[in-house]
Structures are given as C-alpha cells and as structure tokens.
Amino acid sequence: IQQLSNQCLSKDERDAYISLLERRMQHEPLQYIIGKWDFHFLTGLKIKKPMLCPRPETEELVELVLAEVGNLLRDWKEKRKMRILDVGCGTGAIGIAIANKYPAAVQVVALDVLPEAVDLSNENAEQFLSRYSAHGDSKLGVKSIYEAMLCSATHFTNNTTNTSRDLSKKKYKMNFDIVVSNPPYIPLKDMIDLSSDVVEYESYEALCGGVDGLNVIRDIVHRLPEWTFSSSLRAKHCWMEVDESHPRHLARWLSPGSVEARRCGVEYVESYTDFCGRDRFVKLRVS
C-alpha cells in the first residue's frame, strides 16, 4: 500500500482512470466498468452489458438448490448425471456455480433469449469448468457439464404439431431433475422505481416480467411437467427467485389439490425469505 501511495500515474493511466470515473458518474454499474464480479465461489465472473449483474440474493437461491442437490446425491442410484435446467441464464452465474460445486455429478443446461447472454454464459463456463472436463464426455468437453443455448421457456419443448412418434426426432433432451430460474419478475408498475444504474443499463427484458411480473414464471410453470417427465417416482422441484408479491399469488394459484394445480401438474410447496427478510424464493413441485 505504501508503494502504491508513492506511485505516480502515467498520462495513459491517468486518462484511463478518469474515463472509469466518468463512467461511474453516469451511474454505470461497477460490474460493467470492471468487467467482472465475484459470485458464490466464482472469482472474476465476466460481466457484460446488458446482462443482469449478479446479486447477493441470487447466491442464496444457489445455496437452496445446492442443498437439494446434495440431499438427492446421497441416495442417487441413476446411472447418469443429475440434470439441471437453468431458465434465463444471463451471465451463467447460477448454473455455473452449481456445476462448480458438483462437476462430477451434474449436467446443467441453460436457456436465454439473448444471443450475447448465451455466448457469455458459455465463455464463463469455459473459464470456470474446463478444469473439470475429465468428469464428463471428453469429446464434448465443458458441454458435458454445462451448456447454454438460445431458446425461450415457451419454445423449449418437443410438443409440436409434428405427429411423428419417432423419438429420435425429438429436438430437445428433457428428463431434468431440478429446474432453477431467476426470471424477469419485476411488475411493470415497479419499473419506474428502479435506480438509474439498473434501468438505464441492464436488459429491460431481463428485468420486467409484464404487468404482474409473472409472464415468464407462467411459461415456466406450464412447461415444468414436460421438462421433468420421467419414469422415476422421485419428486421433481423448481426453484425460482421472484418478486416479494409473488409467493402469495403462486400459493393461491397452485395450491396443492386445487383445480389449477391439477391442470398444470404443478403444486406450490413453500417460499423462503432473503437476507433482508423479503419473500424472495419459491419452491414448486411437479405433481
């Protein structure tokens, strides 16, 4: 520190520093200015505009999912890896953090509607997971542990108008054991309350979930039975980060045994608070 305090900046260094200060004075997020951020046990996750900057609350979501993964692995008898679907991956933070904890035991598939998010997620996966490639298919490399693809929740389906019964023509491999998502969930009316460093820089589509904030969440709920379908009798769960107004809506809509829950094939289990005491996470069960 003493050495740095006596160091004189060159003109180029001074100009670069002033440029960074000016960007911050325009309320640009530090994560974009620095170009990386720490998340869970990932040090230096690459961050690029307009993907959402990883937040501490989302690390809590990762911990909830990791706890379930750990519990399942204690009695895991399948001759395959546990399959996890991450819907709306952004930087890849959630799925990569999960794969980083259990590289030999899980395979994460991640979805996003932004091409730049898919590219960044796969780039981050290479950075953090390439050392674990030996735990997967050597021909696939990191993709045997983590792969992001360009697709929305609505379009990630094999239920098309094609009447062929040939399973080889299925476009996507499903049979996921856990689904996790930090979807766009902010209600439209609340968007005006966001600070300028959020609303002027981060993707609007990744923030706003429609009038009530539930647009993408509804898409996820309706797709869950297909995504998790298998011959196993084991319960399949979906974990989501949501707006604090959502748990009571989901509890009412998907109340166990209700007509809507039976129609959707999904039941509400419970909600969890974040470290600020807000209802921030929900757990759903495919019934």
Side-chain angles (χ1 to χ4, degrees):
I1 295 177
Q2 183 64 35
Q3 182 179 0
L4 289 175
S5 67
N6 296 326
Q7 180 180 334
C8 293
L9 299 179
S10 67
K11 181 181 183 304
D12 288 344
E13 290 172 333
R14 185 175 65 253
D15 290 346
Y17 181 62
I18 290 174
S19 174
L20 296 178
L21 288 178
E22 289 174 342
R23 289 171 64 184
R24 185 56 186 153
M25 289 173 66
Q26 295 299 315
H27 305 289
E28 183 174 351
L30 281 172
Q31 292 90 334
Y32 293 155
I33 296 173
I34 298 172
K36 57 185 178 181
W37 204 251
D38 295 346
F39 180 86
H40 204 250
F41 290 101
L42 307 176
T43 302
L45 186 79
K46 294 177 183 176
I47 313 294
K48 295 179 183 177
K49 182 182 178 182
M51 274 63 77
L52 293 191
C53 301
R55 290 161 168 79
E57 296 91 336
T58 307
E59 294 185 59
E60 294 182 86
L61 175 64
V62 169
E63 284 296 323
L64 289 168
V65 175
L66 287 176
E68 176 161 356
V69 172
N71 288 334
L72 288 175
L73 287 176
R74 291 189 187 98
D75 298 313
W76 192 254
K77 295 180 174 62
E78 305 275 355
K79 295 180 179 179
R80 62 171 176 82
K81 286 187 168 187
M82 185 182 300
R83 287 174 51 76
I84 299 173
L85 178 64
D86 176 14
V87 183
C89 57
T91 62
I94 294 174
I96 295 172
I98 294 169
N100 188 59
K101 175 68 174 179
Y102 293 110
V106 305
Q107 179 184 37
V108 178
V109 174
L111 310 178
D112 208 287
V113 297
L114 294 178
E116 54 265 51
V118 172
D119 291 342
L120 181 59
S121 291
N122 285 326
E123 184 179 345
N124 276 323
E126 284 288 341
Q127 176 185 345
F128 291 101
L129 304 177
S130 58
R131 64 183 182 274
Y132 300 129
S133 294
H135 292 301
D137 187 327
S138 59
K139 295 181 180 179
L140 294 176
V142 170
K143 288 184 178 181
S144 66
I145 305 172
Y146 180 98
E147 182 178 13
M149 62 176 65
L150 185 66
C151 192
S152 68
T154 300
H155 293 99
F156 191 62
T157 178
N158 292 318
N159 294 332
T160 66
T161 55
N162 186 350
T163 59
S164 172
R165 296 180 180 274
D166 185 354
L167 295 179
S168 66
K169 294 183 179 180
K170 296 287 188 182
K171 185 175 182 181
Y172 301 114
K173 181 181 178 182
M174 300 297 184
N175 191 27
F176 291 99
D177 301 287
I178 297 175
V179 177
V180 60
S181 182
N182 179 14
Y185 61 68
I186 299 175
L188 182 61
K189 64 180 176 57
D190 293 338
M191 290 294 292
I192 60 173
D193 297 326
L194 297 180
S195 58
S196 59
D197 61 344
V198 174
V199 74
E200 292 179 9
Y201 291 92
E202 296 183 276
S203 167
Y204 183 92
E205 292 78 10
L207 292 165
C208 185
V211 173
D212 59 4
L214 289 164
N215 283 3
V216 177
I217 292 172
R218 290 190 190 93
D219 290 340
I220 291 172
V221 168
H222 291 142
R223 289 288 183 225
L224 280 175
E226 180 188 2
W227 293 345
T228 60
F229 179 80
S230 74
S231 58
S232 172
L233 298 177
R234 184 180 62 254
K236 304 292 185 75
H237 294 129
C238 172
W239 296 85
M240 286 189 283
E241 181 175 327
V242 297
D243 184 75
E244 59 186 311
S245 67
H246 290 161
R248 64 179 179 271
H249 291 304
L250 291 167
R252 186 167 54 248
W253 175 33
L254 301 172
S255 175
S258 67
V259 173
E260 279 297 293
R262 291 197 300 270
R263 184 181 68 83
C264 295
V266 178
E267 296 179 342
Y268 176 86
V269 178
E270 59 185 318
S271 66
Y272 298 79
T273 57
D274 61 20
F275 53 73
C276 293
R278 301 187 182 95
D279 281 333
R280 184 61 66 201
F281 315 106
V282 295
K283 180 180 181 181
L284 307 178
R285 177 175 56 243
V286 180
S287 54

